């Protein structure tokens, strides 16, 4: 019976324990766990904003024990009117804190007084240390309940607060901390709060984050590897109840990267500070063009100014207002006027002080306006081609029978050959196939108006059905919620895949953000062994499977095999010496090595070790990589160092090739290994079994973990500048799968 007895009143911290998701978000995917850590870090940063903290230490040790320490004022320890210490009030009562007025904290990210108490409620234990007024205090909490009152434990000269806690394993069952997420957030905080020292200790690894330049350094980092058009513009304006910081720089790309913050809290949806920023820039630039009598036949607007801009807008103010609890959008009306007024005064002076760079900027804006006008005309022409009527879908699309986008899949393949196999092998009920001809246009180097010149791009947009552009894109009209890029496992296939990802990232990012874009993993090899076909995805797995079979058949390094190997090596060396007129000294050196049975066995152990890990197909780079890791193999280390002797390296390199040839001859007699050069080589049944069968295929979901890094990577790999790309290739050559 539903009556008053069924009405429950939750007291103290019980609401948090009963419904933790209301306070910290998801407790299963790591979101809530990170939120707890950031709540405590934000409290320390608030001490920095108040002018009392210079250093924050964050320590992560095994079993998820986290420690946050700052050198701020320390939590108050005097007795509250409730009869207990102020520290215990903050730790055990929701909506209790020192941020509800402006006396203790001028600027603050935490405004609701739930941070410490929520973390305490969701922790198995929490140790609180306070250093204040030359004394040290300690209090222990178990499951949110204090075991003793706050106690004095000694004297000290330092000030601050230290909190160690272990999140409850009953609440956070499957979640775990992600070091990269923590590092990114702390790095962001170090930029936004210049001269604040942040020390991150992950077990024994320690990283110190400290920035003198603040958001200017932040913009410089974001624009690294880009061709910048002008120096960084920086605005710092401090008022009674407000601090405005803005850093801006333009580069020669077409993409916009603007990050907005209020009291260190990021606003992914912008708000009044962003609106004031854009309004002021547009107004100042139009005024500059008019006063400098610059010839211009186009009307410049904020869209033209956004192209190639990198900016940080950091506001600190009292009692900011947000559109929701997530604080993703600032709605404080007074900030728009303040940002706009400050930029109107300072940005115009910046343009006057940099006449050469200003003219290049204006030239870029005028060109953007010209392209925008051309794009508008191109879109009008292309609208008929992008009709959503099924009867007008492109002929290259073999559509599926299913009309529910949640159940529909689109395979994007290259060429008619792969398209033919995919169309025959697919499940026609739910799988559609779009065969693109050749490589699509590189959108990183092309303006928006050039997209509609590419038939392949128009075909793809039409097939997806969701339109393109800020005004016309509507994800509700997307016809497939599983979009799979399936290209050949070679250089051309990788290039086409990257071109498609660049297009989605730049012009349809919502597809990636919603988890709709995948990369297929077709097999690269087929091993036929004892009437069984084994499909292998990469060279590393090929070595693993072949070695596994060899070990199973007990064929490795038996005495008979050793004798056979030695004889074959001597035979091949003699033949090689005659055919290549090699020096006798080289031949003698190699024979000496081969007569050393201990050394040869060690060499073979090392050889198989290399093959198991397969860092590279080139032995030279493998050895260089492994040389740094061979200190554990002291007896063998001296022998390995001989390989780097200039006199014998070339002979060893050729010797390795011979050994590899003999290895295949001795051990792979029972194998038949086929390497697929393209999807068209696979018949429809094979393609279905390996790459399209939902129960057997391997798909990689595309996720943007860091927009800044993704933006930088596409700019390096696909952009106009050659030097950063060459540098990237040189640094990552050993990790790449290069098809020669």
């Amino acid at each position: 019976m539903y009556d008053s007895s069924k009405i429950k009143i939750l007291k103290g911290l019980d609401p948090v324990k009963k419904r933790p998701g209301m306070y910290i978000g998801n407790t299963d995917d790591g979101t809530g766990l990170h939120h707890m850590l950031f709540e405590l870090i934000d409290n320390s940063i608030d001490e920095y904003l108040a002018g009392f903290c210079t250093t924050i230490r964050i320590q992560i040790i095994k079993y998820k024990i986290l420690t946050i320490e700052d050198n701020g004022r320390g939590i108050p320890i005097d007795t509250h009117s409730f009869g207990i210490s102020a520290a215990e009030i903050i730790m055990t009562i929701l909506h209790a804190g020192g941020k509800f007025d402006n006396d203790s904290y001028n600027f603050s990210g935490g405004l609701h007084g739930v941070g410490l108490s929520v973390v305490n409620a969701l922790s198995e234990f929490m140790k609180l240390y306070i250093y204040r007024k030359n004394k040290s205090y300690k209090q222990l909490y178990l499951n949110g309940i204090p075991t003793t009152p706050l106690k004095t434990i000694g004297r000290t000269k330092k000030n601050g607060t230290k909190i160690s806690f272990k999140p409850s394993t009953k609440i956070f069952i499957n979640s775990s901390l992600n070091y990269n997420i923590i590092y990114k957030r702390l790095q962001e905080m170090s930029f936004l709060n210049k001269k604040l020292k942040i020390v991150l200790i992950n077990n024994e690894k320690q990283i110190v984050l400290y920035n003198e330049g603040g958001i200017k350094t932040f913009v410089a980092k974001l624009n690294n590897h880009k061709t910048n058009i002008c120096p960084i513009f920086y605005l710092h304006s401090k008022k009674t109840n407000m601090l405005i910081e803005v850093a801006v720089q333009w580069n020669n790309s077409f993409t916009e990267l603007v990050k907005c913050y209020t009291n260190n809290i990021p606003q992914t949806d912008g708000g009044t500070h962003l609106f004031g920023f854009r309004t002021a820039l547009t107004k100042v630039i139009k005024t500059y063009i008019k006063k400098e009598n610059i010839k211009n036949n186009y009307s410049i607007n904020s869209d033209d100014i956004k192209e190639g801009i990198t900016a940080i807008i950091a506001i600190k103010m009292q009692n900011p207002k947000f559109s929701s609890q997530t604080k993703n959008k600032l709605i404080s009306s007074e900030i728009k006027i303040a940002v706009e007024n400050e930029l109107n005064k300072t940005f115009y002076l910046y343009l006057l002080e940099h006449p050469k760079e200003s003219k290049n900027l204006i030239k870029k804006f005028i060109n953007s306006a010209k392209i925008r006008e051309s794009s508008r005309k191109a879109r009008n022409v292309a609208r008929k081609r992008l009709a959503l009527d099924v009867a007008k879908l492109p002929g290259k699309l073999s559509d599926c029978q299913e009309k529910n986008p949640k159940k529909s899949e689109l395979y994007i393949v290259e060429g008619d050959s792969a398209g033919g196999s995919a169309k025959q092998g697919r499940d026609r009920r739910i799988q559609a196939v779009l065969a693109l001809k050749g490589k699509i246009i590189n959108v990183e180097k092309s303006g928006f108006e050039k997209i509609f010149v590419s038939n392949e791009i128009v075909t793809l947009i039409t097939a997806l059905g969701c339109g393109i552009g800020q005004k016309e894109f509507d994800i509700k009209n997307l016809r497939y919620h599983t979009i799979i890029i399936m290209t050949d496992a070679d250089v051309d296939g990788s290039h086409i895949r990257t071109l498609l990802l660049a297009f989605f990232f730049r012009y349809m990012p919502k597809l990636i953000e919603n988890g709709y874009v995948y990369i297929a993993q077709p097999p690269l090899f087929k091993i036929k062994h004892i009437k069984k076909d084994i499909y292998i995805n990469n060279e590393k797995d090929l070595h693993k499977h072949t070695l596994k079979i060899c070990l199973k058949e007990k064929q490795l390094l038996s005495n008979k095999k050793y004798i056979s190997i030695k004889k074959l090596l001597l035979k091949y060396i003699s033949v090689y010496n005659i055919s290549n007129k090699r020096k006798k000294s080289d031949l003698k050196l190699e024979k000496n090595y081969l007569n050393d049975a201990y050394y040869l066995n060690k060499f073979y152990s090392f050889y198989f070790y290399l093959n198991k890990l397969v860092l590279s197909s080139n032995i030279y780079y493998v050895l260089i990589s492994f040389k740094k890791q061979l200190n554990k193999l002291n007896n063998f280390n001296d022998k390995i160092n001989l390989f780097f002797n200039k006199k014998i390296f070339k002979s060893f390199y050729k010797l390795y090739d011979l050994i590899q040839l003999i290895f295949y001859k001795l051990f792979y007699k029972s194998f038949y290994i086929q390497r697929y050069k393209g999807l068209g080589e696979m018949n429809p049944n094979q393609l279905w079994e390996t790459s399209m069968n939902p129960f057997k295929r391997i798909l990689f979901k595309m996720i943007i973990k860091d927009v800044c890094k993704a933006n930088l990577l596409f700019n390096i790999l696909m952009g106009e500048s050659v030097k950063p790309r060459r540098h990237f290739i040189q640094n990552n050559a050993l990790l790449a799968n290069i098809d020669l």
Side-chain angles (χ1 to χ4, degrees):
M1 183 177 177
Y2 182 60
D3 54 23
S4 62
S5 65
K6 302 299 181 182
I7 306 300
K8 305 295 182 184
I9 301 175
L10 300 176
K11 298 180 180 180
L13 299 179
D14 289 342
V16 183
K17 296 178 181 180
K18 191 73 174 177
R19 298 285 188 270
M22 290 178 60
Y23 296 87
I24 60 167
N26 198 324
T27 58
D28 295 328
D29 64 356
T31 303
L33 201 58
H34 291 97
H35 188 96
M36 288 176 68
L37 176 62
F38 296 147
E39 280 282 356
L40 300 191
I41 294 172
D42 287 345
N43 285 340
S44 296
I45 289 178
D46 286 343
E47 281 292 296
Y48 160 83
L49 294 176
F52 298 99
C53 172
T54 60
T55 304
I56 302 173
R57 295 173 63 87
I58 300 99
Q59 186 172 11
I60 306 169
I61 60 177
K62 292 180 179 178
Y63 311 113
K64 296 180 183 175
I65 298 176
L66 309 171
T67 301
I68 297 91
E69 181 178 2
D70 65 55
N71 62 347
R73 290 169 290 184
I75 298 174
I77 46 82
D78 52 307
T79 303
H80 195 271
S81 58
F82 272 42
I84 55 178
S85 69
E88 189 172 327
I89 290 284
I90 293 171
M91 298 289 286
T92 58
I93 299 178
L94 294 174
H95 305 291
K99 301 171 187 176
F100 294 106
D101 55 35
N102 299 321
D103 296 335
S104 302
Y105 293 92
N106 197 24
F107 308 128
S108 171
L111 303 173
H112 305 293
V114 297
L116 266 174
S117 54
V118 167
V119 176
N120 184 30
L122 302 178
S123 298
E124 288 183 14
F125 72 82
M126 178 179 278
K127 294 180 182 178
L128 171 65
Y129 299 89
I130 300 172
Y131 312 107
R132 189 178 171 99
K133 296 181 179 179
N134 299 320
K135 290 184 180 181
S136 300
Y137 302 87
K138 179 183 178 181
Q139 191 171 24
L140 175 65
Y141 294 83
L142 297 178
N143 297 311
I145 302 171
T147 59
T148 61
L150 186 69
K151 291 183 178 180
T152 305
I153 58 173
R155 301 189 64 82
T156 182
K157 292 183 179 180
K158 64 181 184 179
N159 291 322
T161 304
K162 179 181 177 181
I163 297 173
S164 293
F165 71 99
K166 182 182 180 183
S168 172
T169 53
K170 293 180 180 178
I171 296 172
F172 303 96
I173 300 173
N174 299 316
S175 60
S176 60
L177 289 167
N178 185 315
Y179 178 79
N180 290 330
I181 293 175
I182 297 170
Y183 175 77
K184 178 191 171 186
R185 173 67 173 162
L186 294 180
Q187 187 182 53
E188 211 171 46
M189 291 299 99
S190 72
F191 285 128
L192 293 170
N193 304 281
K194 62 182 177 182
K195 298 184 179 180
L196 171 64
K197 183 180 180 182
I198 301 176
V199 182
L200 174 60
I201 305 169
N202 184 18
N203 292 325
E204 297 180 357
K205 183 180 178 182
Q206 177 174 305
I207 294 175
V208 178
L209 298 169
Y210 180 85
N211 281 286
E212 290 275 356
I215 64 171
K216 286 181 68 177
T217 310
F218 200 173
V219 168
K221 178 181 179 295
L222 295 173
N223 268 354
N224 193 21
H225 299 301
K226 296 179 182 178
T227 303
N228 297 313
I229 297 174
C230 59
I232 296 173
F233 163 78
Y234 177 65
L235 164 66
H236 181 278
S237 175
K238 191 171 184 179
K239 298 181 179 298
T240 305
N241 300 322
M242 191 182 301
L243 174 63
I244 300 171
E245 277 193 285
V246 176
V248 188
Q249 189 178 39
W250 279 267
N251 55 69
N252 67 344
S253 73
F254 300 99
T255 56
E256 174 195 18
L257 182 57
V258 178
K259 289 175 162 289
C260 302
Y261 301 87
T262 304
N263 295 354
N264 293 315
I265 303 166
Q267 281 80 57
T268 54
D269 296 332
T272 49
H273 45 1
L274 178 59
F275 187 45
F277 169 79
R278 286 177 173 165
T279 303
L281 288 188
T282 306
K283 183 178 178 180
V284 170
I285 287 164
K286 285 185 174 182
T287 302
Y288 181 81
I289 291 173
K290 184 178 180 180
K291 287 188 175 182
E292 295 297 315
N293 296 317
I294 299 173
K295 187 178 179 181
N296 176 29
N297 297 324
Y298 300 92
S299 177
I300 292 175
N301 63 23
S302 60
D303 288 335
D304 306 318
I305 295 169
K306 286 193 297 186
E307 287 196 0
I309 192 174
T310 301
I312 304 295
I313 307 168
I315 307 298
K316 293 180 174 70
M317 62 182 297
Q318 292 180 356
N319 303 318
K321 299 180 183 66
F322 302 99
S323 61
S324 66
Q325 179 62 31
T326 58
K327 303 176 184 177
N328 286 337
K329 187 175 183 179
L330 182 68
I331 59 172
S332 300
S333 58
E334 67 272 23
I335 200 65
K336 175 193 176 295
I337 299 170
V339 171
E340 191 174 342
N341 288 340
E342 291 302 316
L343 277 172
N344 283 337
K345 291 186 291 185
T346 55
F347 187 63
Y348 188 80
L349 291 175
Y350 166 84
L351 294 176
L352 293 176
E353 290 169 357
H354 302 87
K356 183 179 178 180
E357 292 85 354
S358 296
K359 287 180 181 179
N360 289 333
L361 266 181
I362 300 303
K363 185 178 178 180
K364 176 181 174 64
F365 299 149
I366 293 173
N367 187 53
S368 297
K370 180 181 177 181
I371 291 172
R372 177 171 49 81
E373 181 62 23
S374 301
S375 299
R376 185 186 63 80
K377 293 177 181 178
R379 279 198 298 270
N380 290 336
V381 173
R383 278 193 178 98
K384 294 179 181 179
R385 301 179 65 188
L386 298 176
L388 299 176
D389 191 341
V390 175
K392 295 181 181 179
L393 287 174
K396 295 179 181 179
L397 174 69
S398 294
D399 205 6
C400 58
Q401 298 166 0
E402 180 62 58
K403 300 306 176 187
N404 185 349
K406 294 181 180 180
K407 300 178 181 179
S408 303
E409 301 179 349
L410 174 65
Y411 273 85
I412 304 172
V413 301
E414 52 171 314
D416 294 334
S417 179
S421 293
K423 289 172 185 177
Q424 293 179 54
R426 65 182 171 136
D427 182 346
R428 295 173 183 270
R429 294 178 302 108
I430 61 170
Q431 293 176 333
V433 176
L434 177 65
L436 299 178
K437 185 178 180 181
K439 297 178 180 178
I440 70 167
I441 191 172
N442 183 355
V443 298
E444 197 71 16
K445 294 182 180 180
S446 307
F448 192 79
E449 82 286 356
K450 291 185 179 180
I451 289 179
F452 295 105
V453 177
S454 169
N455 289 328
E456 302 306 308
I457 289 284
V458 172
T459 298
L460 178 58
I461 297 170
T462 308
L464 294 173
C466 55
I468 190 172
Q470 291 183 349
K471 296 180 180 179
E472 297 175 13
F473 178 84
D474 188 352
I475 200 166
K476 294 178 182 178
N477 295 327
L478 182 65
R479 303 180 65 247
Y480 312 94
H481 282 190
T482 303
I483 302 164
I484 303 167
I485 302 172
M486 186 167 69
T487 57
D488 294 344
D490 58 12
V491 173
D492 285 337
S494 297
H495 190 204
I496 292 171
R497 183 167 65 244
T498 308
L499 288 168
L500 285 166
L501 289 174
F503 169 71
F504 288 136
F505 179 73
R506 293 301 184 202
Y507 292 102
M508 294 183 175
K510 292 290 183 183
L511 301 188
I512 301 177
E513 292 170 11
N514 283 274
Y516 295 157
V517 180
Y518 297 81
I519 299 295
Q521 183 74 20
L524 188 60
F525 299 98
K526 181 177 78 172
I527 300 177
K528 197 170 185 66
H529 180 64
I530 315 177
K531 298 182 179 180
K532 285 182 67 177
D533 291 341
I534 304 171
Y535 292 97
I536 308 295
N537 292 321
N538 51 57
E539 291 188 4
K540 183 177 180 179
D541 288 342
L542 174 68
H543 282 268
K544 281 184 178 179
H545 279 81
T546 52
L547 284 167
K548 185 177 180 181
I549 294 170
C550 290
L551 288 167
K552 189 175 181 180
E553 296 181 0
K554 298 180 180 179
Q555 289 185 338
L556 292 180
L557 294 179
S558 64
N559 290 331
K560 290 182 179 179
K561 289 293 180 187
Y562 168 73
I563 295 169
S564 301
I565 291 169
K566 184 176 177 181
K567 286 181 179 179
L568 282 168
L569 280 172
L570 289 169
K571 177 182 176 182
Y572 275 111
I573 287 172
S574 299
V575 173
Y576 183 76
N577 182 57
I578 294 169
S579 61
N580 291 277
K581 298 181 180 179
R582 300 181 68 205
K583 295 179 181 179
K584 291 183 179 180
S585 58
D586 291 338
L587 178 62
K588 184 178 180 181
L589 185 63
E590 289 170 357
K591 285 188 176 182
N592 287 338
Y593 279 141
L594 292 172
N595 287 328
D596 184 348
Y598 168 81
Y599 172 65
L600 189 61
N601 272 292
K602 283 288 186 180
F603 176 79
Y604 266 91
S605 298
F606 183 61
Y607 170 76
F608 291 123
Y609 183 53
L610 294 180
N611 278 289
K612 285 179 181 178
L613 297 175
V614 190
L615 291 182
S616 169
S617 59
N618 188 321
I619 185 60
Y620 175 76
Y621 293 113
V622 172
L623 288 173
I624 288 176
S625 299
F626 271 85
K627 186 180 180 183
K628 299 176 182 178
Q629 304 176 30
L630 285 167
N631 293 329
K632 295 179 181 179
L633 305 174
N634 293 324
N635 295 333
F636 191 39
N637 197 39
D638 293 337
K639 297 286 186 181
I640 294 298
N641 285 330
L642 290 174
F643 295 152
F644 295 88
N645 187 303
K646 292 181 180 178
K647 294 181 180 179
I648 67 170
F649 180 79
K650 289 184 179 179
S651 62
F652 163 75
Y653 185 85
K654 296 297 181 184
L655 181 62
Y656 179 87
D657 288 342
L658 296 175
I659 293 174
Q660 195 172 38
L661 177 64
I662 294 165
F663 178 78
Y664 276 89
K665 184 174 181 179
L666 290 171
F667 300 142
Y668 288 179
K669 289 180 180 178
S670 58
F671 302 158
Y672 172 73
I673 301 175
Q674 178 183 357
R675 188 187 191 283
Y676 293 110
K677 293 183 179 179
L679 297 176
E681 293 184 6
M682 304 178 72
N683 63 47
N685 290 336
Q686 289 177 322
L687 196 56
W688 163 257
E689 285 297 320
T690 61
S691 309
M692 302 185 78
N693 185 339
F695 299 102
K696 294 183 179 180
R697 69 189 179 189
I698 299 174
L699 298 179
F700 297 113
K701 180 185 283 190
M702 294 295 99
I703 299 173
I704 304 174
K705 290 185 177 180
D706 189 325
V707 176
C708 296
K709 285 185 178 180
N711 178 67
L712 176 62
L713 189 60
F714 277 113
N715 189 267
I716 291 173
L717 295 178
M718 312 300 290
E720 294 279 1
S721 185
V722 176
K723 188 176 179 180
R725 184 157 49 249
R726 184 189 301 117
H727 183 71
F728 178 88
I729 292 170
Q730 289 171 344
N731 288 344
N732 295 276
L734 295 181
L735 303 176
N737 181 17
I738 301 174
D739 190 338
L740 300 177

